[in-house]
Amino acid sequence: MASELPERLALIRRRIDACAHGAGRAPEEVELIAVSKTHPAALLREAIAAGVESFGENRVQEAEAKIMELGREGVRWHLIGHLQANKARRAVQLFDVIHSLDSDALARRLDRLCAEEERALLPVLIQVDLAGEETKTGASVDALPELVAVVNAAQHLRLAGLMTLPPFFEEAEQARPFFRRLRELRDELAAGGAFGGSARGELSMGMSHDFEVAIEEGATMVRVGTAIFGERGAAQS
Ligand SMILES: *Cc1c(COP(=O)(O)O)cnc(C)c1O
């Protein structure tokens, strides 16, 4: 129900703050990305009124309609779903950040499209597949060094961090090793200057049921949908 949104959002913010404090971290280090996929623009408008500044969408086409309606001023749009080559140009035009970079070919394509679209710099996160599941998208850990090199050589891409989507577990605690592993990979890359100078690099990890575990493991961006907007239709996850 739409009217519950401000309360749900406030609750999530309180939980983020409490969890960050408990982990000895500053709450400002954790950006809340409200995952609005499947929900109508009217509900996003309500979220903006309640203070949301970042939305996560997983489909370019669906996001396009909402971005056209709500605009890009004062709101940041994050692409968090798999990006197909034929949607890449539109993604470059529409999104502020792409979390789902998963191949050398896509990195090269995005760089070329940025040049064509006169987009100076596109922040990207590399999605890492830590489970090795066939159904999941993301770059394997083995492919990571090469992909990082391609992004860093690209003129119009800025490597902003790493993202992961662990397998679904009933117990949030079971996702912890995946979050920890992503942090270790991020730390190794940061030590080598992969994020530019001494930049530490973002960690996009944690969803409605496990964002607190992710924050304990160092998440700097949590992607929360259901806990803010309510359940999505069963057919549209
Ligand atoms: C849908 C989605 C989320 C949000 O999931 P919730 O369980 O609704 O919080 C986060 N990240 C990605 C990549 C998603 O596709």
Side-chain angles (χ1 to χ4, degrees):
M1 241 159 292
S3 57
E4 292 173 10
L5 192 146
E7 234 169 277
R8 283 177 170 157
L9 182 67
L11 175 62
I12 294 300
R13 289 201 190 283
R14 280 200 300 275
R15 284 171 60 187
I16 289 173
D17 286 7
C19 180
H21 281 304
R25 303 183 56 206
E28 308 81 66
E29 281 177 30
V30 184
E31 180 182 1
L32 173 61
I33 298 174
V35 177
S36 46
K37 62 188 185 196
T38 78
H39 297 293
L43 201 56
L44 279 68
R45 210 182 278 286
E46 212 182 306
I48 293 170
V52 165
E53 294 174 336
S54 299
F55 288 108
E57 287 279 339
N58 68 339
R59 295 207 176 111
V60 175
Q61 229 163 333
E62 183 192 331
E64 177 168 1
K66 299 178 197 175
I67 296 172
M68 288 306 169
E69 187 166 340
L70 300 170
R72 295 179 65 181
E73 222 160 286
V75 197
R76 283 165 65 75
W77 296 91
H78 298 250
L79 180 65
I80 61 170
H82 179 64
L83 179 56
Q84 290 170 315
N86 63 354
K87 303 273 167 58
R89 183 183 299 277
R90 207 66 192 109
V92 163
Q93 294 167 340
L94 289 168
F95 286 92
D96 295 286
V97 188
I98 292 178
H99 290 233
S100 45
L101 178 63
D102 60 0
S103 74
D104 297 1
L106 182 59
R108 292 197 174 91
R109 180 182 292 263
L110 288 172
D111 188 41
R112 176 170 56 76
L113 292 170
C114 283
E116 291 177 14
E117 298 292 327
E118 298 184 352
R119 172 145 191 190
L121 214 51
L122 174 67
V124 295
L125 284 78
I126 294 175
Q127 181 174 356
V128 186
D129 174 14
L130 294 172
E133 290 175 303
E134 302 262 313
T135 52
K136 290 258 151 88
T137 53
S140 69
V141 173
D142 290 345
L144 196 51
E146 169 70 13
L147 182 47
V148 167
V150 171
V151 175
N152 280 332
Q155 264 192 19
H156 302 281
L157 304 182
R158 179 173 73 78
L159 185 60
L162 301 180
M163 181 269 228
T164 201
L165 183 61
F168 180 82
F169 296 110
E170 285 299 330
E171 291 293 324
E173 211 32 64
Q174 292 176 280
R176 187 181 297 276
F178 294 88
F179 297 147
R180 186 169 293 169
R181 183 80 186 104
L182 196 72
R183 167 162 52 88
E184 290 166 357
L185 289 169
R186 191 274 316 261
D187 290 347
E188 285 166 28
L189 288 172
F195 305 108
S198 61
R200 198 167 56 150
E202 307 281 353
L203 280 175
S204 168
M205 56 191 198
M207 306 166 39
S208 289
H209 72 293
D210 58 12
F211 69 85
E212 281 149 328
V213 176
I215 290 170
E216 287 169 4
E217 294 300 331
T220 65
M221 294 171 154
V222 291
R223 310 180 307 265
V224 179
T226 309
I228 294 173
F229 294 104
E231 294 290 336
R232 294 179 289 271
Q236 348 169 257
S237 72

